[in-house]
Amino acid sequence: RCFSPPMGGKRPGSCRRSISNTITVPAVPGHLRPKQREECMNAECRRKIEMGARALEFSRAHPDADPGYAAAAAKLEQLMARASEATVAQRSGIVDVRAASGRKGELRRTMQSVHIAHLAQVGEEAATENHELGKLFRFKPAAGTLLAFRAAAGTMADEAKANREMLVKYGLSAAVLEEFLQRLEQFDAAVALGNAGRAAHVNATAELDAVAAGIVRAVNVMDGRNRQRFQQEESLLAEWISVSTVVGRRRRVSDSPAPEETPPAGDVRPAA
């Protein structure tokens, strides 16, 4: 929030401060957060790929025997196939990450309420006779993260296995301990699934970014030929310009052909 001096000086609403120990909060964030930046990148890639699909459909509906144009159209078709594969991989990665996150949360709650709680109670009983043994089963993660939880739970499980025979007389259930060990393995599997899903998502996102850029280049190559061959057919030229435009981008005035004059071939790159 900005304050202006009561009399004279700067105009009301000025954000400049003369006091060194005050913090000026910018009206607009200096940069987007990582998730927001990723969402913007994904949206931009999606618009480019959608433009490529429209341009490819137009090309198929209006084939051209020109070898150069045919090569560019074939390149666009290959890029669209790559985009389809990368989109599936990206989506699969997201699904795996979310599934792993849910599974880790479920396992954590179960272990804390059943297995860890049981071992903690056994530890309290053991502490009445063996103080050192009782201290081994005080569940105190170093932090609230899943990594800290796994480390603390793993240490507790290892100590329970090492002192199994001694702890039985304090009420340790072998069945609970065995299930605890199984849940820890399942937790590790969920962590691995989440890591793999995150890596797949990152790689697919990078692939989509590269493919989207390639699609724009391929359509730009096709643009000159289409403008040249449809310069006497205003409706087809207008359709091509429309399908080859990335949605959300504002064309320059020169992008739209004048009603009485056809722009020269290759004059404007519609998808760039």
Side-chain angles (χ1 to χ4, degrees):
R1 190 177 175 186
C2 302
F3 298 91
S4 57
M7 296 182 63
K10 302 167 187 174
R11 293 177 297 174
S14 173
C15 290
R16 296 183 180 178
R17 306 292 184 86
S18 59
I19 303 176
S20 60
N21 62 347
T22 56
I23 300 175
T24 301
V25 180
V28 179
H31 57 81
L32 295 175
R33 294 179 180 177
K35 184 176 181 180
Q36 292 175 314
R37 187 161 53 248
E38 181 181 354
E39 290 174 352
C40 290
M41 291 175 61
N42 286 341
E44 179 71 10
C45 286
R46 185 176 63 252
R47 288 192 290 266
K48 291 176 181 177
I49 293 170
E50 289 171 350
M51 178 275 296
R54 296 192 303 270
L56 182 59
E57 183 179 355
F58 179 93
S59 179
R60 289 170 175 169
H62 305 281
D64 186 5
D66 182 87
Y69 185 88
K75 177 67 174 178
L76 177 60
E77 189 164 3
Q78 295 172 0
L79 288 167
M80 292 304 301
R82 283 175 57 189
S84 179
E85 294 175 1
T87 299
V88 172
Q90 186 189 53
R91 177 60 183 168
S92 179
I94 294 174
V95 170
D96 286 346
V97 169
R98 291 176 178 172
S101 179
R103 182 58 175 159
K104 286 184 291 186
E106 178 187 353
L107 288 168
R108 180 177 182 173
R109 290 189 294 272
T110 299
M111 286 188 283
Q112 285 182 319
S113 63
V114 178
H115 311 90
I116 292 173
H118 174 67
L119 290 179
Q121 290 297 322
V122 171
E124 287 186 10
E125 289 296 316
T128 60
E129 298 181 24
N130 188 328
H131 184 66
E132 292 300 319
L133 186 61
K135 289 194 299 184
L136 298 176
F137 300 100
R138 295 175 182 173
F139 187 71
K140 293 183 178 181
T145 64
L146 288 176
L147 181 62
F149 166 81
R150 177 60 181 86
T155 299
M156 180 178 279
D158 291 340
E159 294 295 346
K161 285 193 300 181
N163 298 277
R164 184 196 302 252
E165 295 181 2
M166 186 180 301
L167 291 172
V168 168
K169 68 177 184 177
Y170 297 108
L172 174 65
S173 168
V176 172
L177 177 57
E178 289 302 321
E179 189 175 76
F180 186 30
L181 297 175
Q182 293 172 9
R183 294 291 185 270
L184 286 174
E185 291 179 356
Q186 293 170 8
F187 187 88
D188 291 340
V191 170
L193 176 65
N195 291 340
R198 192 170 292 104
H201 174 264
V202 169
N203 292 336
T205 299
E207 170 72 355
L208 283 172
D209 189 43
V211 168
I215 286 173
V216 170
R217 292 195 298 271
V219 172
N220 283 344
V221 170
M222 299 165 64
D223 180 62
R225 170 57 178 165
N226 279 336
R227 285 176 180 267
Q228 183 265 330
R229 65 176 176 143
F230 296 130
Q231 57 185 330
Q232 301 303 324
E233 301 178 70
E234 291 186 3
S235 60
L236 287 178
L237 179 58
E239 182 182 353
W240 164 251
I241 292 175
S242 176
V243 302
S244 62
T245 300
V246 178
V247 175
R249 287 187 173 185
R250 183 173 297 179
R251 275 187 178 275
R252 296 189 296 270
V253 176
S254 58
D255 287 358
S256 301
E260 298 181 358
E261 180 182 358
T262 303
D267 180 44
V268 178
R269 302 301 184 190

